[in-house]
Amino acid sequence: MKKKWSRVAQHLLFWAIFVALWSAHDLNYHRDLLDNFRTNLVAFVPYAVLVYFNLYFLAPRFLLKKKIAPYLIFLIACIILTTWFSSHYLHFYFSRINVYLPTANFFHSFEGKIAIATEVLLSLCLSMTLFLIDQWYKKEQVLSELEQKRLETELSLLKSQINPHFLFNSLNSIYVMMNRNLNAGKKMLLEFSELLSYQLYETDKKHINLESEFQNLANYINIESVRHSDLAKVTYDFPKNPGDLQIAPMLLLPLIENAFKHGQNSKGYQIQVNAEIFKGSILNFSVRNTSSNRAKKIPQKGEQKGIGLTNLKRRLELIYANNHYLLIEDGEERFTVNLKIELDETKVLDR
């Protein structure tokens, strides 16, 4: 109801301003502004009737349905009818009341009818411009909402692609360790419970504390390090107190997953994970791992290693847009990923 009355007030304000401006224009014919305003207040009634008939009947029924010919025929007929009505009754009548006969005679003449038709066309053009702007704005709002829903759905799907893969690797690691060392397996199970708790209660949030994300990564690295301890040498270094900085949950994990998955080498391999905070809000996150000695297929154009990196790139595009920098280097002996993100939404990453 409040919105309805607000719209009524906007329309009344439009006509009040329109009549006031036209009354000022009529000072060329009659020097009494108040008299002009009182006259136009009634003289513009047929104009308003035509405007609303056009906006709420002709335009929706014909113009918006691309029935241009019928729309123009009806509109021209309505303009002629409104011009004739105003010329023979309203303008002539009010001019006679105000004892301003030259004006009355003028609007009753052919030239006067042209002037009235001009006023009618002006009111129609102005109202149609505002109407089309309003329609465009509403359409943009709907498209923006649809795009936001689409992005939210896409992000949810990307998370769902990451999470099962992550859970499978963790459970497999615990299973292997349970057969090797029961106590170590129990420790891994405890770390896994923290990972699962993180996934259940944190990943639905838009952003989480960077410190929580680092702890989640550390738990994952510890689990995988135990599993690959025979061949892998894993080191990591995260800032102890990253402050109140926040990041999208589960964003960095695919980089570490990728290192463990594609860095395996029968002669032993190394994985190095480092995170640093620059300028108070820029995260520099890097992962380096020994390249696998498995036979590499020739990659197709634009192809990347694993679904994890593909999802990561898409999430970065959706969440951080132009506020991130991702560099992937696939060398003969080492695979390196360096990611920079400006975590302060009020700032722009300087590349």
Side-chain angles (χ1 to χ4, degrees), residues 217-240:
L217 296 179
N219 288 335
Y220 179 83
I221 291 173
N222 291 336
I223 292 175
E224 290 293 87
S225 296
V226 173
R227 178 188 171 198
H228 297 272
S229 59
D230 292 342
L231 295 173
K233 181 180 179 181
V234 184
T235 59
Y236 65 91
D237 182 29
F238 299 143
K240 294 294 188 288

Side-chain angles (χ1 to χ4, degrees), residues 2 27 64 71 75 86 96 107 169 206 220 239 304 335:
K2 185 177 180 181
L27 289 174
L64 297 182
Y71 173 74
L75 185 62
S86 295
R96 290 294 296 272
F107 284 116
N169 283 346
K206 185 177 180 180
Y220 179 83
Q304 297 181 11
F335 187 84

Side-chain angles (χ1 to χ4, degrees), residues 231-235 259 263 265 268-272 288-291 333-335:
L231 295 173
K233 181 180 179 181
V234 184
T235 59
N265 192 308
Y269 54 98
Q270 296 180 342
I271 297 176
Q272 297 174 316
R288 299 177 179 85
N289 61 270
T290 306
S291 293
E333 298 182 354
R334 186 173 295 274
F335 187 84

Side-chain angles (χ1 to χ4, degrees), residues 29 86-110 112-113 116:
Y29 309 107
S86 295
S87 173
H88 283 73
Y89 290 94
L90 292 176
H91 274 295
F92 185 74
Y93 173 73
F94 276 103
S95 294
R96 290 294 296 272
I97 288 179
N98 292 326
V99 194
Y100 197 65
L101 295 179
T103 305
N105 293 331
F106 170 73
F107 284 116
H108 200 57
S109 67
F110 177 77
K113 290 182 175 62
I116 293 174

Side-chain angles (χ1 to χ4, degrees), residues 166-167 169-175 178 184-203 212 215-224 250:
F166 152 67
L167 289 173
N169 283 346
S170 300
L171 287 171
N172 190 50
S173 298
I174 294 173
Y175 174 78
M178 284 290 188
K186 289 180 179 180
K187 181 181 178 182
M188 289 179 64
L189 185 60
L190 180 61
E191 291 175 327
F192 175 73
S193 68
E194 294 179 357
L195 287 171
L196 186 59
S197 176
Y198 177 87
Q199 180 179 325
L200 290 175
Y201 300 111
E202 301 293 336
T203 55
S212 298
Q215 183 58 51
N216 179 63
L217 296 179
N219 288 335
Y220 179 83
I221 291 173
N222 291 336
I223 292 175
E224 290 293 87
M250 301 289 286

Side-chain angles (χ1 to χ4, degrees), residues 50 53 58 69-85 120-121 124:
L50 176 58
F53 181 70
L58 293 181
Y71 173 74
L72 291 177
I73 292 172
F74 279 113
L75 185 62
I76 292 172
C78 289
I79 292 173
I80 294 173
L81 180 63
T82 303
T83 300
W84 178 84
F85 181 80
V120 173
L121 286 172
L124 280 173

